Amino acid sequence: MPHYRRFQDISVSEKLLNSMFLLMIAVAYLFALLHMYYAHEGRDGEAGLSVKDVMIAYHGSHDQTRLGAAIKGSMGANLPSAAAKNDILDWINLGAHEDDYQTRIRPIFENNCIACHSVDSGMPIPSLESFADVRALTHTDTGATIPTLVRVSHIHLFGIAFILFFVGRIFLLCEMPALWKRVAVIIPFAAVLIDILSWYITKSIPGFAYVVVISGGLMGLSLWFQIGVSMYQMWFHQKHHQGEVT
Ligand code: HEC
């Protein structure tokens, strides 16, 4: 029977290295959740993050404009007052005409938005410098564009593959029934693939936002499971001698 490495076979230094890595991933995951919250929160006009917000992020809100959705959501925090927000929303509702833009709206953007939303800032976000730029964002919101989704997908897939691989390698040193372990290493990868695929499907079928949320949650839970079991067994688990084949 082949001998597979277990936590009892590794040195304390290796356990420390593993633990610091897992700890850092756990903290990074919490920041990823915060980021997700701030990026999507309030898109539907209500405080907090909901499936509706996710729906709007990918499918868009076909009765809303990108500009309107952004300032009702996370971009609203950049505005000095609720009055400024209402001015912009009214302007969009009244047809986003250039005259009103020049007199009432442009100063708001110049003071609060173009530090980031300009070509000079170098940020990959829509410019708000000219009327034409702004006008383009006042058409109805059809959600994240395909090029944006493709960009975010490739970053996520490359990045998360590494995280799951290294966490999974550590987790393999646990002792547990072989079947559980095999399932536990596959789930997070499958969940990420389903999650990312669902972004694209949600673009046309808004109900798929639930799949985005569920698969994202599953990936999170399975990652926490691997990290938790690994940390526990690495430091507190007593050695077994029965020669399990896990
Ligand atoms: C500190 C930098 C910063 C400031 C200031 C800022 N934004 Fe943004 N904005 C961003 C970033 C980063 C994104 C892309 C990520 C996101 O959607 O949260 C973004 C995205 C957007 C989008 C695009 C959403 C989409 O559909 O892709 C709009 C519209 C927008 N902001 C409007 C505004 C308005 C209006 C203001 C001023 C009231 C403003 N922003 C101020 C950084 C900024």
Side-chain angles (χ1 to χ4, degrees):
M1 189 185 306
H3 176 74
Y4 296 110
R5 264 168 39 110
R6 291 291 172 260
F7 283 125
Q8 71 222 22
D9 301 319
I10 68 177
S11 67
V12 171
S13 330
E14 194 172 340
K15 286 186 184 177
L16 287 171
L17 177 66
N18 287 345
S19 302
M20 294 317 288
F21 174 72
L22 294 179
L23 201 68
M24 194 98 94
I25 293 293
V27 174
Y29 186 84
L30 294 179
F31 275 97
L33 285 181
L34 274 179
H35 169 75
M36 182 177 75
Y37 179 83
Y38 286 124
H40 297 315
E41 182 267 327
R43 280 180 194 262
D44 59 356
E46 281 165 37
L49 186 62
S50 63
V51 178
K52 184 96 187 291
D53 292 318
V54 177
M55 234 173 244
I56 295 174
Y58 296 106
H59 178 69
S61 160
H62 292 218
D63 54 359
Q64 261 197 116
T65 62
R66 272 177 77 185
L67 180 60
I71 60 171
K72 282 190 223 163
S74 58
M75 289 299 132
N78 295 306
L79 284 165
S81 64
K85 185 194 277 189
N86 288 334
D87 280 349
I88 301 173
L89 294 175
D90 286 347
W91 173 72
I92 299 172
N93 287 336
L94 293 172
H97 296 299
E98 180 154 18
D99 302 347
D100 292 339
Y101 167 76
Q102 299 295 356
T103 52
R104 287 168 43 213
I105 305 302
R106 187 178 173 161
I108 304 179
F109 289 161
E110 281 180 352
N111 293 331
N112 306 292
C113 317
I114 62 164
C116 302
H117 288 275
S118 64
V119 179
D120 291 344
S121 80
M123 296 172 76
I125 53 180
S127 163
L128 294 174
E129 283 173 300
S130 72
F131 174 69
D133 293 335
V134 175
R135 182 81 179 103
L137 298 172
T138 61
H139 301 301
T140 38
D141 173 18
T142 55
T145 60
I146 294 287
T148 303
L149 289 183
V150 168
R151 179 171 54 83
V152 181
S153 304
H154 95 276
I155 299 173
H156 269 73
L157 289 167
F158 276 127
I160 296 177
F162 276 98
I163 295 169
L164 297 182
F165 182 77
F166 286 111
V167 171
R169 293 249 9 152
I170 297 173
F171 172 74
L172 288 185
L173 302 176
C174 289
E175 287 180 44
M176 71 170 58
L179 184 64
W180 287 32
K181 203 185 266 186
R182 288 170 193 168
V183 172
V185 293
I186 289 175
I187 285 179
F189 287 95
V192 170
L193 289 172
I194 293 171
D195 192 54
I196 290 182
L197 189 68
S198 319
W199 298 351
Y200 293 85
I201 303 177
T202 306
K203 220 178 138 42
S204 337
I205 309 172
F208 252 78
Y210 285 94
V211 182
V212 173
V213 172
I214 291 168
S215 52
L218 188 63
M219 125 95 201
L221 286 178
S222 53
L223 193 67
W224 284 111
F225 175 75
Q226 292 192 9
I227 293 176
V229 172
S230 300
M231 284 296 231
Y232 175 77
Q233 290 206 5
M234 200 154 26
W235 297 107
F236 304 112
H237 193 57
Q238 292 306 308
K239 181 173 168 171
H240 285 249
H241 293 282
Q242 304 94 317
E244 303 94 319
V245 210
T246 54

